[in-house]
Amino acid sequence: MKIIKGNIVESQSLNNVRFIKDGGILIDDNGTIVDVLEKIPSDTKYQIEDYKDKLIMHSFCDMHLHAPQYPMVGMGMDLQLIDWLNTYTFKNEARFKDLDFARNVYHRLANELIKNGTTRVVMFSSLHVDATLVLMEELEKAGVTGYVGKVNMDRNSVPELYESTEESKQETLRWLKECKKFKFVKPIITPRFTPSCTNELMEFLGNLAEKEGLFIQSHLSENLGEIEWVHSLHPDTNQYWETYDKYKMWKDHTLMAHTVHSNERERKAMKDNGVISVHCPDSNVNLSSGVCPVRTFLNEGIWVVLGSDIAGGSMLPMYKNIQAAIKASKINYIRSGYKDMFLSVNEAYYLGTSSAHKYFDGKEGFATGKKLHAIVVDDSNFTPSVRELSLKERFERAIYMMEKENIISVYSEGRKIF
Amino acid sequence: MKIIKGNIVESQSLNNVRFIKDGGILIDDNGTIVDVLEKIPSDTKYQIEDYKDKLIMHSFCDMHLHAPQYPMVGMGMDLQLIDWLNTYTFKNEARFKDLDFARNVYHRLANELIKNGTTRVVMFSSLHVDATLVLMEELEKAGVTGYVGKVNMDRNSVPELYESTEESKQETLRWLKECKKFKFVKPIITPRFTPSCTNELMEFLGNLAEKEGLFIQSHLSENLGEIEWVHSLHPDTNQYWETYDKYKMWKDHTLMAHTVHSNERERKAMKDNGVISVHCPDSNVNLSSGVCPVRTFLNEGIWVVLGSDIAGGSMLPMYKNIQAAIKASKINYIRSGYKDMFLSVNEAYYLGTSSAHKYFDGKEGFATGKKLHAIVVDDSNFTPSVRELSLKERFERAIYMMEKENIISVYSEGRKIF
């Protein structure tokens, strides 16, 4: 057993951050949390990893990003979703049939994630099974855990990025078999989005997920043109979400990225079925999709987490996306005539950490029985300080000022990565 | 004479960025630009500073920030303007009567500005003359140039941060005398904002600026509550701007920060009098002030530049504020039903560089006769690339992905700082 000692910043629920000055997290030899200590007994028999005055925070979870889009961060940002997909994204993703290229990009991506304190992800790969396996290997090696999806897409793509319905099915099965070798990175069923998949493929994927007990991720109601397109492809449905529901993919733990334009009925369907909204505020502004009314989602009891949506989003570090979520919510606050309250720093921290950690292990905060996912933040070099700051102030400043060099240690799935 | 060689990224006007692959900027021994070369003759007689494949861009200008607020970056962001001023800002600024403290903060600030490629500023100090002189010294030493204002405020403050009308006048005169010793940093008249200055003080400052030929900076129409307050203080005026006009401060080269809520009449008064809007997009969202309709300002021919507004803004680097300007304009684009076009990367780069450099030397771009203000950006480590990128793509990516470690060289007022 070991005590990780420092100033604990624990997100216990949406509103509540617990600050413990000189506290500790007691973990066992497997890195499982045994207790959070408000005080460390001077005669403790446990080994102490002493981070002194530094902040011990939750590590971050990036619940929606496209790994093969990493090389195109910050390009094509003057375009909207569908043009951006056709001009940049699909051509870029097609490059990942080259495994050396994939290795190079994914090695870099996995290490950048860890250096920035992101220890858990739910990620889109491309349609290429071999490159997807390379991605999963690189994530495991770097210490990133979570879910990765081989993307399924058998229509409405460019010639360079194509799989037939049959190929898509067979390749998915081959991929799932290969995935058994991974310990920390698991597969998730990933229809790109409704316009990319034939009904036959959707049906196959829904059944497969059910049979294998796999979770599902996709996109929902990101852009107005996209919504119309989906409706024209599925005229028998009333709303976008029903195109997933039709194929048994609208269920508990299904992650739906964006939900910018989800109306009350669509939101109710999320809430009633345990579908989770992955809010990607930076991407939604970059691609001029809109601003998701997160406060409304939270008021209605919908589970919300955050995603960088690389490369619609242009910022990999989740502390920056937490900031972006606050800023996006302030836009809604202003737009509502100061009625829809913006996300406080506590709340946005929760969405980027605790709310998403719960996806993986069922509990919020540094709860007993969870594997430790944490970062240690050295905030001593931010700026000279006017007076001694409270832990709450230091925490707020960390969210706004942190850069990767301030993250001096990372714990992922109970293991100290650095 | 010397040639600065590399890939030139010159903002020639609002829309137009000139890209020159393997080009050069020819400067004389004083660092004055003689020519921009599309090709370097192989038999050139001039010394070459060869930055090879790197990007040579304009340095940035931060046209509105509060130096004494630097220690409070990223704190109190859950408050709105007036509460934020009273809870955090004024108390913080009061600390700057302590010159050791001021030296420590300003040394750090000046060096962070340069490392982030900001070579020109127009800045608020606090009311303290001696600390203001320390600030100006530290800026000169670090290589930052521009204007600094001792803040004038003789009402509506907290007890710790107070000067009487007479003190304010006398201290301003003492400060102006001391300023003569600086070469690169000049004084600018700085009434904090209308609510902070009595009519007597405003009249004194307007006359002083006229007599000494000094420029003026202040705040305008940031927040709806502030606008009402100003109106109640000056019931004889129709609009906020008239409270400056009344005292001869509404004129050519006057910088007005924010202008979020300036209506058509106020904007016309800006245009007609050569008053400049300093757009501070990050601050305006942080403090829930609103989103300035920059496209409208540009369409109406108003001169617009950018400011970080530290510490209402939480990002000192101007490349991040350029991103924030693009993102804020996309909010307006969405809100207008996709009518008010967002700022392109070219346009936002112009606002953060060329448009503001013109404030200091009258010309856009790397024009002949200007002192060189430039940064050299090493973009080789951004992400692995899918294919060879165009200079335009590399430039766009630099705006989105640059961090201070990518800025490997800075030229300020013709001098190579590092």
Side-chain angles (χ1 to χ4, degrees), chain B residues 215-220 240-242 244-245 248-259 262 265-279 297 300-305 355 359:
Chain B
F215 293 154
I216 289 152
Q217 64 176 343
S218 198
H219 297 90
L220 184 72
Y240 196 160
W241 68 275
E242 295 171 53
Y244 296 114
D245 191 39
K248 303 196 266 192
M249 295 198 266
W250 190 258
K251 60 184 188 180
D252 192 58
H253 272 72
T254 290
L255 288 162
M256 284 289 155
H258 306 304
T259 66
S262 296
R265 182 170 175 272
E266 189 159 273
R267 295 195 305 266
K268 186 170 185 310
M270 297 188 75
K271 166 79 175 121
D272 291 347
N273 294 279
V275 171
I276 299 160
S277 165
V278 190
H279 178 38
F297 279 67
E300 294 175 357
I302 296 164
W303 190 351
V304 180
V305 294
S355 178
Y359 184 83

Side-chain angles (χ1 to χ4, degrees), chain A residues 252-263:
Chain A
D252 191 57
H253 272 72
T254 291
L255 288 161
M256 283 288 155
H258 306 305
T259 66
V260 172
H261 300 284
S262 297
N263 68 5

Side-chain angles (χ1 to χ4, degrees), chain A residues 75-114:
Chain A
M75 291 197 297
M77 297 280 87
D78 289 357
L79 303 172
Q80 272 194 55
L81 179 65
I82 306 298
D83 288 340
W84 177 79
L85 285 174
N86 290 319
T87 311
Y88 273 88
T89 316
F90 289 159
K91 282 175 193 163
N92 179 80
E93 285 194 24
R95 281 282 272 122
F96 285 78
K97 64 172 184 255
D98 173 347
L99 291 189
D100 289 338
F101 180 75
R103 177 78 64 189
N104 181 18
V105 171
Y106 291 153
H107 178 77
R108 176 69 180 275
L109 171 62
N111 285 285
E112 281 297 308
L113 283 165
I114 276 292

Side-chain angles (χ1 to χ4, degrees), chain A residues 13-286:
Chain A
S13 63
L14 177 61
N15 288 298
N16 193 33
V17 174
R18 173 163 68 152
F19 299 99
I20 312 175
K21 178 99 189 132
D22 301 321
I25 303 175
L26 181 64
I27 56 174
D28 69 15
D29 292 345
N30 298 315
T32 303
I33 299 171
V34 177
D35 202 1
V36 175
L37 310 169
E38 303 256 354
K39 233 185 153 68
I40 319 272
S42 57
D43 60 346
T44 180
K45 56 181 190 264
Y46 304 122
Q47 186 200 333
I48 295 182
E49 179 103 39
D50 192 351
Y51 290 109
K52 302 209 163 71
D53 196 39
K54 301 189 173 46
L55 303 174
I56 300 176
M57 299 172 64
H58 297 285
S59 65
F60 303 107
C61 304
D62 191 345
M63 302 299 278
H64 182 72
L65 76 164
H66 295 262
Q69 295 175 18
Y70 186 52
M72 47 180 289
V73 169
M75 291 197 297
M77 297 280 87
D78 289 357
L79 303 172
Q80 272 194 55
L81 179 65
I82 306 298
D83 288 340
W84 177 79
L85 285 174
N86 290 319
T87 311
Y88 273 88
T89 316
F90 289 159
K91 282 175 193 163
N92 179 80
E93 285 194 24
R95 281 282 272 122
F96 285 78
K97 64 172 184 255
D98 173 347
L99 291 189
D100 289 338
F101 180 75
R103 177 78 64 189
N104 181 18
V105 171
Y106 291 153
H107 178 77
R108 176 69 180 275
L109 171 62
N111 285 285
E112 281 297 308
L113 283 165
I114 276 292
K115 281 191 234 163
N116 282 292
T118 300
T119 64
R120 278 171 158 162
V121 297
V122 183
M123 203 180 244
F124 279 53
S125 176
S126 58
L127 57 77
H128 311 94
V129 166
D130 296 316
T132 302
L133 294 167
V134 166
L135 171 58
M136 294 169 87
E137 268 171 46
E138 290 296 331
L139 292 172
E140 285 231 330
K141 263 196 263 175
V144 183
T145 68
Y147 297 94
V148 168
K150 169 235 177 305
V151 166
N152 294 96
M153 48 189 300
D154 65 343
R155 67 173 174 182
N156 292 318
S157 182
V158 294
E160 307 93 291
L161 192 69
Y162 176 77
E163 55 179 8
S164 69
T165 307
E166 195 50 34
E167 274 167 351
S168 190
K169 292 180 188 177
Q170 293 310 319
E171 284 293 278
T172 302
L173 295 174
R174 178 169 80 88
W175 168 61
L176 289 179
K177 238 182 248 166
E178 296 280 342
C179 283
K180 301 202 194 307
K181 68 183 175 200
F182 299 111
K183 191 170 168 203
F184 298 111
V185 183
K186 302 290 174 194
I188 184 167
I189 295 297
T190 307
R192 184 172 203 118
F193 68 151
T194 299
S196 296
C197 298
T198 59
N199 296 357
E200 183 187 339
L201 184 56
M202 292 286 265
E203 188 173 1
F204 171 81
L205 295 172
N207 286 332
L208 182 64
E210 186 179 52
K211 188 173 139 231
E212 303 286 335
L214 297 168
F215 292 155
I216 289 153
Q217 63 174 345
S218 197
H219 297 90
L220 184 72
S221 298
E222 176 175 4
N223 167 296
L224 295 171
E226 173 209 17
I227 294 173
E228 275 183 46
W229 191 15
V230 169
H231 189 65
S232 74
L233 294 167
H234 290 264
D236 57 317
T237 59
N238 278 312
Q239 284 190 297
Y240 197 161
W241 68 275
E242 295 172 53
T243 65
Y244 296 114
D245 191 38
K246 221 162 113 176
Y247 302 107
K248 304 195 263 189
M249 294 196 267
W250 190 258
K251 59 185 188 181
D252 191 57
H253 272 72
T254 291
L255 288 161
M256 283 288 155
H258 306 305
T259 66
V260 172
H261 300 284
S262 297
N263 68 5
E264 199 178 340
R265 182 169 174 274
E266 190 160 272
R267 294 195 305 266
K268 186 169 184 312
M270 297 187 75
K271 166 79 175 118
D272 290 348
N273 294 279
V275 171
I276 299 159
S277 165
V278 190
H279 178 38
C280 305
D282 188 51
S283 170
N284 296 157
V285 173
N286 278 340

Side-chain angles (χ1 to χ4, degrees), chain A residues 403-418:
Chain A
E403 296 288 348
K404 73 183 167 202
E405 62 265 26
N406 300 107
I407 300 175
I408 60 159
S409 191
V410 171
Y411 291 81
S412 174
E413 206 63 21
R415 302 161 299 159
K416 180 171 177 172
I417 306 296
F418 67 85

Side-chain angles (χ1 to χ4, degrees), chain A residues 71 73-74 76-77 88 92 95 108 282 285-286 288 320 327 330 338 381-382 384 386 393 396-397 403, chain B residues 71 73 76-77 88 92 95 108 282 285-286 288 320 327 330 338 381-382 384 386 393 396-397 403:
Chain A
V73 169
M77 297 280 87
Y88 273 88
N92 179 80
R95 281 282 272 122
R108 176 69 180 275
D282 188 51
V285 173
N286 278 340
S288 300
K320 293 192 185 176
K327 290 173 186 183
K330 286 183 175 175
Y338 302 100
N381 79 340
F382 283 167
V386 173
E393 287 171 323
E396 182 178 0
R397 213 167 60 145
E403 296 288 348
Chain B
V73 169
M77 297 280 89
Y88 273 88
N92 179 80
R95 281 282 273 123
R108 174 71 180 275
D282 187 51
V285 172
N286 278 340
S288 301
K320 293 192 184 175
K327 291 172 186 184
K330 286 183 175 173
Y338 302 101
N381 80 341
F382 281 168
V386 173
E393 286 172 323
E396 182 180 358
R397 213 168 58 144
E403 295 290 348

